[in-house]
């Protein structure tokens, strides 16, 4: 998920498969668009007509795309920790991720302070505490997963029936409850969700029943997009009617909004799973330009969601208030998301070339990595 994976199947070094890299790229663009429309208030001031419907479809998919990212990351993490794989040592991954977050959040927090108005003290502090400060909830949750996976990986040694039962019970506890009652996001619940998706991906990769593997790729995609539309269209309908609707329609809208926001709800997870399955079944081989374009996806996430910086990004740099209610807003938003991705990718390329080696070749990095690996060795 958070780094360019170079292993497939048995764990031998192979070129990254571009079907997954293309999914990584598209999912991050969907996340950027979701934040642009919601944090930039483009969705709440989308006007009416085709622009409104297009804005809703482009702006409501961030959490589904986030679930896609969790599935992607766990899919490859299972590859590295499956039975028969070498002992998993998370130290290097953990500290590289920690450093990558710090390289973006600290400078962008300083930029936010220079641009003003002054960011809150809590957001400033979070920019310099990549893990415990949780400036990016996804990054902190993923780092927690890396610390726990050396212990959790033993569940993958269960036979298919027992692992399937564990996944089913976990699904009842997490997915079932989150679909029947409103349990929105929170750091601890999201971390538990990451642990569950790791187990689910392990069962799917190691013991998926034949009938599940035989589902056609286009059927999986149609199912995933269909579930997403079923959640997004009530939002568009409610906005088109200014919230004036019968009680039943209001209830449908409330439930659809809740499902879109909760990673753990069945519709959100099914939408992500259908989209993921389609790309998993594609046979694209390794396409260099796709792999290169997808590599900085995590940096794009960190940069555009740094707590002290993102309000200024949308108001002072992108200038979202000037777009409110314009018919061309959806098209402009797509262009801005691509341009923002490209700009961050250029800076990330320089970071990977010049800063990353200074850290990964240092004695401090080696010592800190060994400290985490010793803890993991207890598993």
């Amino acid at each position: 998920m958070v780094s360019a994976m170079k292993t497939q199947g048995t764990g031998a070094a192979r070129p990254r498969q571009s079907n997954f890299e293309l999914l990584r790229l598209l999912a991050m663009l969907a996340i950027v668009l979701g934040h642009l429309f919601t944090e930039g208030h483009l969705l709440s001031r989308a006007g009416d007509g085709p622009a409104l419907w297009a804005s809703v479809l482009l702006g409501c998919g961030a959490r589904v795309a986030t679930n896609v990212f969790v599935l992607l990351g766990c899919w490859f993490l299972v590859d590295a920790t499956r039975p028969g794989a070498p002992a998993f040592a998370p130290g290097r991954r953990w500290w590289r991720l920690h450093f990558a977050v710090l390289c973006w959040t600290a400078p962008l927090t300083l930029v936010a302070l220079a641009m003003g108005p002054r960011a809150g003290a809590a957001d400033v502090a979070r920019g310099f505490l990549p893990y415990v400060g949780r400036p990016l909830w996804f990054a902190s949750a993923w780092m927690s997963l890396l610390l726990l996976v050396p212990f959790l990986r033993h569940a993958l040694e269960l036979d298919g029936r027992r692992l399937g039962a564990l996944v089913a019970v976990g699904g009842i506890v997490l997915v079932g409850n989150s679909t029947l009652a409103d349990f929105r996001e929170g750091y601890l619940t999201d971390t538990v969700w990451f642990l569950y998706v790791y187990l689910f991906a392990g069962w799917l990769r190691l013991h998926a029943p034949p009938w599940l593997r035989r589902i056609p790729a286009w059927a999986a995609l149609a199912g995933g997009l269909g579930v997403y539309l079923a959640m997004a269209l009530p939002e568009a309908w409610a906005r088109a009617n200014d919230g004036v609707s019968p009680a039943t329609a209001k209830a449908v809208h409330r439930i659809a909004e809740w499902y879109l926001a909760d990673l753990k709800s069945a519709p959100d997870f099914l939408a992500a799973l259908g989209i993921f399955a389609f790309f998993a079944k594609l046979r694209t081989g390794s396409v260099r330009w796709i792999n290169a374009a997808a590599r900085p996806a995590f940096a794009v996430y960190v940069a555009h969601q740094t707590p002290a910086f993102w309000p200024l990004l949308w108001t002072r740099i992108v200038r979202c208030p000037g777009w409110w209610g314009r018919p061309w807003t959806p098209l402009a938003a797509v262009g801005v998301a691509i341009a923002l991705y490209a700009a961050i990718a250029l800076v990330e390329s320089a970071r990977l070339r010049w800063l990353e080696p200074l850290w990964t070749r240092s004695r401090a990095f080696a010592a800190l990595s060994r400290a985490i690996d010793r803890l993991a060795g207890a598993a």
Side-chain angles (χ1 to χ4, degrees):
M1 199 299 292
V2 295
S3 62
M5 298 295 181
K6 294 185 178 181
T7 58
Q8 296 274 9
T10 62
R14 299 180 187 177
R16 289 175 292 139
Q17 296 304 295
S18 297
N19 52 337
F20 289 116
E21 298 306 305
L22 179 60
L23 177 58
R24 193 188 312 275
L25 172 62
L26 293 175
M28 182 49 61
L29 287 173
I31 290 171
V32 173
L33 281 168
H35 292 145
L36 175 57
F37 275 98
T38 55
E39 296 170 351
H41 302 293
L42 298 178
L43 190 56
S44 60
R45 294 171 172 85
D48 52 20
L52 169 62
W53 292 83
S55 295
V56 168
L57 293 179
L58 290 171
C60 288
R63 297 289 283 178
V64 172
T66 300
N67 248 339
V68 169
F69 255 95
V70 181
L71 280 164
L72 268 170
C74 289
W75 188 257
F76 288 107
L77 197 54
V78 166
D79 207 34
T81 58
R82 65 197 300 170
F88 181 69
R92 289 183 62 85
R93 296 186 186 213
W94 200 95
W95 284 109
R96 285 185 65 190
L97 179 57
H98 190 276
F99 182 71
V101 174
L102 183 64
C103 281
W104 281 101
T105 58
L108 287 175
T109 297
L110 295 176
V111 168
L113 290 173
M115 290 178 66
R118 295 295 180 185
D123 285 342
V124 172
R126 292 168 68 199
F128 295 90
L129 300 169
Y131 178 58
V132 296
R134 300 194 302 275
L136 288 307
W137 72 266
F138 190 108
S140 293
W142 190 262
M143 284 190 274
S144 294
L145 175 61
L146 288 177
L147 294 177
L148 292 168
V149 153
F151 303 88
L152 197 63
R153 66 179 293 188
H154 294 299
L156 302 185
E157 298 171 0
L158 297 172
D159 59 51
R161 184 180 64 83
R162 291 184 177 180
L163 182 57
L166 177 60
V167 168
V169 172
I172 293 170
V173 172
L174 288 173
V175 181
N177 280 311
S178 297
T179 306
L180 297 175
D182 192 349
F183 297 107
R184 298 295 176 94
E185 65 176 294
Y187 173 68
L188 290 178
T189 56
D190 287 333
T191 301
V192 172
W193 177 245
F194 282 29
L195 303 181
Y196 174 74
V197 176
Y198 169 78
L199 293 176
F200 179 90
W203 171 79
L204 190 65
R205 186 148 201 182
L206 302 176
H207 303 291
W211 65 265
L212 192 59
R213 297 179 182 274
R214 288 196 295 266
I215 295 176
W218 288 103
L221 180 64
L225 293 178
V227 174
Y228 172 65
L229 288 174
M231 293 186 289
L233 291 179
E235 175 76 15
W237 193 93
R239 291 182 182 275
N241 290 275
D242 296 321
V244 179
S245 59
T248 301
K250 287 183 178 179
V252 170
H253 172 230
R254 182 185 65 81
I255 293 171
E257 188 178 40
W258 148 26
Y259 287 167
L260 278 169
D262 195 343
L263 295 173
K264 306 178 300 299
S265 71
D268 196 298
F269 188 44
L270 286 173
L273 188 59
I275 294 168
F276 175 83
F278 169 76
F279 282 89
K281 290 172 177 288
L282 286 182
R283 294 294 178 264
T284 59
S286 182
V287 182
R288 183 174 298 180
W289 72 266
I290 293 177
N291 296 351
R295 189 181 188 193
F298 180 71
V300 174
Y301 161 65
V302 176
H304 91 282
Q305 283 297 282
T306 295
F309 178 71
W310 69 255
L312 297 175
L313 172 65
W314 304 133
T315 58
R316 299 277 296 278
I317 299 174
V318 177
R319 298 184 180 275
C320 287
W323 305 14
W324 292 346
R326 303 298 179 87
W328 42 261
T329 292
L331 184 61
V334 173
V336 165
I338 294 172
L340 184 63
Y341 188 107
I344 296 170
L346 287 175
V347 180
E348 176 67 0
S349 297
R351 187 195 74 82
L352 289 171
R353 182 172 182 178
W354 302 110
L355 291 181
E356 181 89 354
L358 293 177
W359 171 234
T360 56
R361 295 172 185 171
S362 68
R363 293 182 178 180
F365 176 80
L368 291 168
S369 297
R370 286 195 298 270
I372 289 181
D373 290 342
R374 280 195 292 271
L375 290 174

